[in-house]
Amino acid sequence: MGLLAKVAGVVLAISFMTFVAFFGRLPALRHTPIAWLHRAIWVYIPNGVLAVDRVLTGGRIVSSAGTFGHYVWYGRHPTVLIFYILLLSVGEFLYLPGAWPRLSRFHQVAGAILIILPYVFLYLAAFGDPGVITPDTHAHYMSLYPYDFTIFHPGQECRSCHLLKPPRSKHCAVCKRCVARLDHHCVFINNCVGYGNQHWFLLLLLSTALLTTYGGALGLGMIAESARARSSIFALWKHPKQSWHHYFILLTYGIQADVGVGSVTLLAVMTAPLVWGLLGYHAYLIYCGTTTNESMKWQDWQAEMDDGFAFRRRLPSPRKRHPRFEASWTRWPVEPAQILVRTEDGEPPNDASPPGEGPWERVWHLRDIENIYDIGFWDNLTDIFVPNYSFRAESQADLERGKRRTKKTKS
């Protein structure tokens, strides 16, 4: 019981703190204990340490640690990528010698495929082009999406790259470059997740989730098999006639029978939910037709709406594009039907100020604003997994309502 409790406690603590550190800023967790723990780790505790260090050393220790920490978390270096590769490879090195001879041919073949796939998708996600915007690729990325006049407005220039920002793009402060449809910068792949490699990133998450789940399930079976060698009554789901004390003694024996298999199985079982959770979060973003970066922008708009500072009005249909700031044509099937702006004083803008036409209407809820980048889950998925797919070949934009209407062809 002692070994089991220590190993499980350490693995669970590391997994939980990793989740808090990386995902505590997500808008979906903004008003939860996870967000409070994230602030405690990155704000409250550092501020307390800084106050003590100022008294003792004038702040020199914290300043040096802050510089190092900023480089570790926000610098572009392969440290976390190497750690991830070591986590996979060392875990497999410990797990396979004891597990492989006990597996059937089917599990050996399936296991070999699942072991290889994360490395393949990791390479493609880490070393592939995420959609870097350069003078040579700028026109192409301008033609992918229209501006929605809500979170992306035409005419905005990147102050670092000195290029007009294409719709859904963002400048990555880590990579020091603009990326098309940037989702986020991922330290695990030491690269941005954007238009060019998001499908590889999602496949990396899926293959890692399947590997940890499959390996954990097989490992639990082998642990149970070793424990049953001591007592035939043992099962992973505790038998009613068995005491908890006896159950944990046998479980510990099953883990210690092959420490490599047992420890890696515990690690897989406890980390698999984190990977599935991250994959599920990205599946939800795809369902909503948004990205991690855009979801934060939507949350900012909700805050403006709560304060009563957000206003909208319709855009003319058809709308004349500005030739200097917008692409003359995009492959997207939906065009913006409204513009959303904020004011400093909470009063509507001047009705005569372009763009748009008609009176300004105060907006209180996000549900009253249409996301033109959400064209249905399967089409959103197609947009990610089939780069440069032209939706206009199949559908036309309803410029009045911004909804997709499928054309029926005559036979």
Side-chain angles (χ1 to χ4, degrees):
M1 176 61 182
L3 175 63
L4 176 64
K6 290 178 182 178
V7 173
V10 170
V11 172
L12 186 60
I14 293 175
S15 300
F16 178 72
M17 295 309 296
T18 301
F19 177 81
V20 171
F22 283 103
F23 309 121
R25 288 183 64 249
L26 293 177
L29 302 175
R30 183 166 291 180
H31 301 292
T32 66
I34 300 296
W36 185 90
L37 285 174
H38 183 273
R39 289 193 296 272
I41 294 172
W42 297 109
V43 180
Y44 304 143
I45 294 176
N47 286 345
V49 174
L50 177 60
V52 174
D53 183 48
R54 283 174 177 169
V55 174
L56 299 179
T57 68
R60 289 189 295 272
I61 294 178
V62 171
S63 177
S64 300
T67 301
F68 176 75
H70 187 274
Y71 170 75
V72 169
W73 288 105
Y74 300 106
R76 195 180 183 205
H77 54 84
T79 305
V80 181
L81 172 61
I82 294 172
F83 169 77
Y84 175 67
I85 294 175
L86 288 175
L87 191 64
L88 284 176
S89 58
V90 173
E92 291 156 3
F93 176 78
L94 294 173
Y95 183 91
L96 289 176
W100 192 262
R102 303 166 66 178
L103 298 178
S104 66
R105 180 57 58 87
F106 171 81
H107 287 307
Q108 288 179 346
V109 173
I113 294 173
L114 288 177
I115 288 171
I116 294 172
L117 285 180
Y119 293 102
V120 174
F121 295 136
L122 176 62
Y123 173 81
L124 293 171
F127 298 100
D129 178 13
V132 178
I133 300 170
T134 65
D136 293 334
T137 62
H138 184 263
H140 169 67
Y141 289 123
M142 286 288 289
S143 68
L144 294 180
Y145 306 98
Y147 291 98
D148 65 349
F149 287 83
T150 299
I151 55 178
F152 299 104
H153 292 262
Q156 296 181 349
E157 182 179 287
C158 176
R159 289 174 292 182
S160 300
C161 300
H162 304 294
L163 293 170
L164 284 176
K165 292 183 178 181
R168 311 193 77 180
S169 68
K170 188 180 186 299
H171 185 86
C172 176
V174 179
C175 295
K176 306 295 189 295
R177 55 193 184 180
C178 284
V179 177
R181 202 187 62 209
L182 177 68
D183 188 275
H184 69 289
H185 181 89
C186 180
V187 295
F188 283 98
I189 65 173
N190 192 34
N191 199 2
C192 291
V193 177
Y195 183 80
N197 68 343
Q198 188 177 8
H199 52 301
W200 300 128
F201 174 75
L202 293 173
L203 290 173
L204 171 63
L205 289 180
L206 177 61
S207 60
T208 304
L210 290 173
L211 175 63
T212 54
T213 303
Y214 194 68
L218 292 178
L220 287 175
M222 287 181 277
I223 289 173
E225 182 182 346
S226 298
R228 277 194 294 270
R230 294 289 297 268
S231 175
S232 59
I233 197 176
F234 180 84
L236 291 174
W237 190 264
K238 189 182 77 69
H239 195 280
K241 296 181 180 180
Q242 188 179 34
S243 67
W244 282 107
H245 177 72
H246 189 225
Y247 173 82
F248 281 116
I249 288 178
L250 292 173
L251 182 61
T252 303
Y253 173 81
I255 294 173
Q256 292 177 329
D258 191 319
V259 177
V261 173
S263 58
V264 175
T265 297
L266 287 178
L267 179 64
V269 168
M270 293 182 180
T271 55
L274 295 178
V275 185
W276 281 112
L278 182 58
L279 180 61
Y281 175 71
H282 279 277
Y284 173 73
L285 292 179
I286 296 171
Y287 172 78
C288 295
T290 187
T291 65
T292 301
N293 171 55
E294 292 169 6
S295 68
M296 295 180 179
K297 294 179 181 292
W298 284 113
Q299 290 297 319
D300 292 339
W301 266 121
Q302 183 59 70
E304 298 289 350
M305 293 175 186
D306 293 339
D307 294 334
F309 290 172
F311 296 87
R312 71 172 181 178
R313 71 173 176 178
R314 68 178 181 273
L315 290 172
S317 175
R319 182 181 65 86
K320 184 178 180 180
R321 299 172 185 263
H322 196 297
R324 181 180 175 186
F325 301 127
E326 298 180 77
S328 59
W329 178 89
T330 67
R331 67 192 177 95
W332 206 242
V334 182
E335 293 292 334
Q338 60 191 6
I339 179 174
L340 184 67
V341 299
R342 69 177 298 275
T343 59
E344 297 292 339
D345 56 3
E347 295 298 324
N350 186 344
D351 284 343
S353 61
E357 59 185 15
W360 291 96
E361 175 188 358
R362 196 184 305 271
V363 184
W364 296 102
H365 304 287
L366 284 176
R367 62 174 177 267
D368 297 327
I369 302 297
E370 185 181 19
N371 176 17
I372 68 169
Y373 304 126
D374 179 16
I375 54 176
F377 177 75
W378 294 112
D379 283 333
N380 295 343
L381 203 63
T382 300
D383 183 41
I384 292 175
F385 281 91
V386 188
N388 304 318
Y389 182 81
S390 180
F391 294 94
R392 287 192 183 272
E394 297 180 358
S395 59
Q396 66 178 13
D398 183 342
L399 300 181
E400 295 294 333
R401 299 179 57 84
K403 300 294 186 180
R404 291 194 65 195
R405 296 185 303 183
T406 303
K407 280 187 175 181
K408 295 183 179 180
T409 57
K410 295 181 179 179
S411 56

